Amino acid sequence: MNTREEILSIIEKNSRIDVHELSVLLGAEEVLVANELKALEDEGVICGYHSMIDWSKTSIEKVNALIEVKVTPTRGQGFDNIAERIYKYPEVTSVYLMSGGFDLMVIVEGKSLLEVAGFVNNKLATLDNVLSTATHFILKKYKDHGTILTKKYEDTREIITP
């Protein structure tokens, strides 16, 4: 694995790691690592840095839904034009082209089930190229982006046998 791939592997798991610690892990000079990070950002390989928040542990209400969308692709553009129209909505957090019975997977975030349903009915389903949708609400997240969100209860009491 080259230095670029090693940097990417490390920061994918911990984007908060500082350049000094990253350089120590890689056995490389800080300036080299900093320059490589900057180059990866400039090239669009590193697209952003994000925090993962378990909103269910806060007082803020959020509802997430996975929406499968079947569309008619446009000539010369395929799925790109319709995907762009969809990802420009502020409710949309992710859009993926996928194989199977549907063409796009759209991930939406809203304040309530009603708000997400309104988005599907009033915005998404009314787009010209959209043939059908299937909405799946996320009820509970167990693991997200490789991070386990629900920890099993471990009994820490000492075992006493008669």
Side-chain angles (χ1 to χ4, degrees):
M1 193 179 315
N2 66 35
T3 304
R4 294 183 119 210
E5 292 168 345
E6 288 181 88
I7 289 171
L8 294 171
S9 294
I10 293 168
I11 67 168
E12 183 180 34
K13 291 178 184 72
N14 179 9
S15 64
R16 290 188 56 177
I17 192 168
D18 64 19
V19 175
H20 174 73
E21 190 176 346
L22 190 54
S23 67
V24 169
L25 283 172
L26 296 170
E29 292 184 34
E30 261 186 69
V31 69
L32 173 79
V33 173
N35 289 339
E36 201 60 51
L37 277 169
K38 176 75 170 110
L40 288 163
E41 291 168 357
D42 291 344
E43 294 168 22
V45 176
I46 298 174
C47 303
Y49 299 90
H50 304 278
S51 296
M52 186 181 326
I53 299 166
D54 187 350
W55 290 104
S56 68
K57 295 179 180 173
T58 71
S59 61
I60 297 172
E61 294 287 326
K62 290 197 180 220
V63 174
N64 295 96
L66 307 174
I67 306 167
E68 296 171 312
V69 184
K70 189 176 286 195
V71 300
T72 304
T74 56
R75 179 172 285 208
Q77 294 293 312
F79 297 99
D80 295 347
N81 280 350
I82 189 67
E84 183 179 357
R85 286 184 68 192
I86 293 169
Y87 71 61
K88 285 185 175 179
Y89 287 113
E91 300 92 338
V92 174
T93 61
S94 302
V95 177
Y96 304 101
L97 179 64
M98 59 185 209
S99 62
F102 289 85
D103 303 305
L104 298 173
M105 173 64 71
V106 179
I107 301 176
V108 175
E109 183 177 275
K111 293 177 185 171
S112 67
L113 295 173
L114 197 58
E115 186 178 288
V116 172
F119 167 78
V120 174
N121 290 331
N122 301 321
K123 295 179 181 176
L124 187 60
T126 60
L127 293 173
D128 291 338
N129 296 44
V130 172
L131 301 174
S132 65
T133 64
T135 303
H136 308 276
F137 287 98
I138 296 174
L139 304 177
K140 183 177 182 178
K141 291 182 181 181
Y142 294 98
K143 187 174 183 178
D144 194 8
H145 291 85
T147 300
I148 297 170
L149 301 175
T150 56
K151 304 284 186 207
K152 273 185 150 182
Y153 171 76
E154 292 183 30
D155 192 350
T156 56
R157 297 178 292 175
E158 188 176 333
I159 297 174
I160 299 174
T161 55

